[in-house]
Amino acid sequence: MAEPTIYELSSAGRVGVRFPEPDVPPAPLPEAFLRQDLPLPELSELDVVRHFTHLSSLNYSIDGGFYPLGSCTMKYNPKVNEEAARLPGFAFTHPLQPSETIQGNLALMYVLQEWLKEISGFAGVSLQPAAGAHGEFVGVLIIRAYHRSRGDVKRTKMLIPDSAHGTNPATSAMSGFEVVNVPTGANGNVDLESLRQVCDDTVAGLMLTNPNTLGLFDQNVLEVVEIVHQAGGLVYGDGANLNALLGVVRPGDLGFDVMHFNLHKTFSTPHGGGGPGSGPVGVARHLVDFLPGPISVIAEEGTEEEAPLYELGMPPQSIGRVKAFYGQFGMLVRAFTYISMHGPDGLRSIAEHAVLNANYLLARLRHTYKVPFDRVCMHEFVMEGHSAAAPEVHALDIAKRLIDYDFHPPTNYFPLIVHEALMIEPTETENKQTLDAFAEALVKIAAEARSDPELLKSAPHHTPVGRLDEVKAAKDLVLCCWIPDQP
Ligand SMILES: *Cc1c(COP(=O)(O)O)cnc(C)c1O
């Protein structure tokens, strides 16, 4: 059923706005600009409020329901983050204010940099990048700058495991590297023999996601890092899955040279339709000088009575500025709030519960759906949305049918190395009742796939719009089903 448009709700003579008495003398309007036949909608204020409030609830949201979108970490965004970000001292700072008037903001950035260093085991952090993909771009530029600074210009290849997120090869290609694929072995880890074969003195680095997009911790990670380092390459860590490691493993300790954080995933700043991302980058000691800036630094050490004096500094061999001003400052406030609310033990318990929730769901579903790399998972797992018992039903149909059960579909058809992939990430913020209800819905859907495949192929049935073109729907928006006839 199509939603009525504001034009269809219009009723002649209804008024929603009252203009104040003009406080300037009336002036005649140019005749040519006046039209009597402009079909403006006529509605009361209440009509308008109800219409838009209703429309706002048509989008699925994390505040509205379970959102197990694998690799995206759609955890609950605590409202205290929003309160902190709205504090006038943060919200109303002008980006061109002199640094002595924004000491609080610089202190927050400095402390957040320090916390991210401690959490990840890196020696330096820049908060500039605006998203994970942007952080990857920055990281790869840092790798390039490092090799160039040593006169090592023959390194033209970036190694990317075949389970990688699409942004990894895209970033490498955009930065001028040749992308070389590294296959995954039978157990879901990087295949070491294949890695050894492609490692030589033309390799600039490897981009590794750990846990990888199968939701598996690469058990050979130390060896992988060692092989790349032996060849003179650097290891980039795609930190999108850091939620599984918080307080347990530090990527810097594993030997990674550079990594991005997705504050909007791990540290609960809103994402998707909810706001901009933030993708700070952490680096090991030998790369600190290449970080993009400005970053917050201490200009004068504090004393017992006085806070330190902060200023914005540019690392000496910086790849430059990659974002206007200081990055997504509002997101930095939210992440700072989230980390300070949890503390070290709280952060560790986030990872433990994210991993526990994923393993609980996996245990409930592995007898109903095929799980190609079936071992203890980290914060997410990947199963197949296709079975011989229901040959015409595909992962997409299962995803669409879940909408009828009021669940957001999982990520589907990614990672590419799993046939008909359904990638499920419950996150730590969901309770057992929700996980049970989701597992039961998927078990029911598997039975429906055998008894009534058409029910799945025509899903969803209860949404304002049904099946959309998967590719065109996001590019060719249809926002209005009725446009008034032009005179
Ligand atoms: C989300 C994600 C990215 C990209 O991060 P954005 O913030 O969306 O740009 C990269 N790699 C992996 C594994 C991801 O899940």
Side-chain angles (χ1 to χ4, degrees), residues 47-69:
D47 293 336
V48 175
V49 167
R50 289 217 176 123
H51 178 67
F52 286 107
T53 304
H54 171 65
L55 288 186
S56 76
S57 69
L58 294 179
N59 251 358
Y60 200 92
S61 65
I62 190 66
D63 286 352
F66 184 45
Y67 212 133
L69 196 61

Side-chain angles (χ1 to χ4, degrees), residues 70-73 130-136 163-168 209 211-213 238-241 260-265 271 277-279 380 414 423 425:
S71 209
C72 294
T73 314
H134 195 194
E136 289 175 38
S163 60
H165 195 264
T167 48
N168 293 186
T209 314
N212 64 20
T213 62
D238 179 327
N241 294 341
H260 77 261
F261 304 81
N262 300 65
L263 298 190
H264 47 289
K265 294 180 181 173
H271 63 309
S278 181
E380 64 191 356
F414 176 75
M423 181 196 221
E425 179 181 9

